[in-house]
Amino acid sequence: MLRPDATYYRMKRTLLPPGFKTRAEQQSLVIRRRLGLNATQACPARHLAGLYGVSVTGNASLLSLLPHLSDEFADTDLVRERLLRVSDPALNFSALVAVVRGHTMILYNDQHSPERQESDIMHEMAHVLCQHPGDDLQLTSDIGLRDHDAQYEEEASWLGSVLQVPDAGLMWYARRGYSIEQIAARYTASVEMVTYRWRMCGIARRLSYHRA
Ligand SMILES: [Zn+2]
């Protein structure tokens, strides 16, 4: 059995721990089963968040959230300024995880396309599932301009993409001749995302192996 990502490993040094990719695929399938879904079905990011008790809020709703948040922080003006910053269209904010009094919430940019929202929320859920520690999970940190830990970001990017488009489902569609655009529509994913997964999973090579 060929490793789907063997080429990727040769081409690029990865910060992912050994076995991370295999576990990510398993996690994607296990979560789907818990939601009554199989590998060929889209796993809506908001359903996944709900499974883990994480609330999901668009940044357009941020201002209505402010009065509720103000009790939680000593420096309300600072929090207000930071929340306003993620509402700023010029910032091209994607999403972030905030923990308020032990409750985890994801704030995302609801101006982005539905496909982009799915991948943004999945990325943040991947941070939650990986239990990434650090200031970047706290609303009181410098959100929007935070420093990213390179390994955490690579883990979240990989897991987020696998949660959205699992290898097993991608291969199922590829073997039946679905185009990347058709597969993208099935997963509410962008064409760029499916193209990336197609390459990372070595689908073209495995298809020619399958047909030989
Ligand atoms: Zn991230």
Side-chain angles (χ1 to χ4, degrees):
M1 183 77 182
L2 283 170
R3 288 174 62 134
D5 47 14
T7 311
Y8 176 65
Y9 268 123
R10 279 198 298 275
M11 284 162 50
K12 179 180 178 294
R13 280 170 71 93
T14 178
L15 297 171
L16 299 179
F20 185 90
K21 294 182 178 184
T22 305
R23 287 195 299 277
E25 174 72 12
Q26 287 165 350
Q27 205 163 14
S28 179
L29 301 183
V30 166
I31 286 170
R32 275 179 166 72
R33 271 201 293 279
R34 289 180 64 190
L35 290 169
L37 302 166
N38 66 44
T40 64
Q41 292 173 290
C43 174
R46 290 162 182 81
H47 292 188
L48 192 157
L51 192 62
Y52 290 88
V54 174
S55 57
V56 177
T57 307
N59 58 352
S61 315
L62 273 179
L63 298 184
S64 64
L65 264 177
L66 268 174
H68 306 288
L69 291 175
S70 58
D71 293 345
E72 308 289 339
F73 303 101
D75 192 347
T76 311
D77 286 344
L78 183 67
V79 173
R80 184 184 302 273
E81 184 244 303
R82 285 173 177 171
L83 289 179
L84 284 170
R85 207 191 303 166
V86 298
S87 318
D88 180 359
L91 188 69
N92 198 24
F93 161 72
S94 295
L96 62 86
V97 183
V99 181
V100 180
R101 202 185 272 174
H103 179 75
T104 306
M105 62 167 82
I106 290 172
L107 303 174
Y108 70 96
N109 189 338
D110 46 26
Q111 301 304 304
H112 287 154
S113 69
E115 294 80 7
R116 172 77 187 274
Q117 290 177 22
E118 282 295 307
S119 66
D120 286 346
I121 298 167
M122 280 302 198
H123 177 96
E124 298 306 322
M125 273 310 297
H127 277 304
V128 173
L129 292 172
C130 290
Q131 299 182 304
H132 287 156
D135 293 342
D136 61 331
L137 299 184
Q138 301 295 328
L139 192 58
T140 45
S141 75
D142 192 9
I143 54 175
L145 296 173
R146 68 196 184 203
D147 287 331
H148 294 283
D149 181 295
Q151 182 179 341
Y152 292 159
E153 282 316 308
E154 193 170 333
E155 289 179 2
S157 294
W158 186 269
L159 178 58
S161 72
V162 176
L163 291 173
Q164 198 176 7
V165 184
D167 181 297
L170 185 55
M171 196 59 197
W172 190 95
Y173 285 117
R175 281 183 174 167
R176 284 158 184 80
Y178 283 73
S179 68
I180 283 180
E181 287 76 11
Q182 288 171 322
I183 299 170
R186 293 288 168 129
Y187 287 112
T188 321
S190 67
V191 168
E192 292 73 23
M193 171 60 80
V194 175
T195 305
Y196 166 77
R197 291 287 295 142
W198 187 279
R199 207 171 30 150
M200 290 299 114
C201 294
I203 297 293
R205 182 170 41 79
R206 288 157 70 197
L207 278 182
S208 59
Y209 178 78
H210 180 65
R211 285 177 187 137

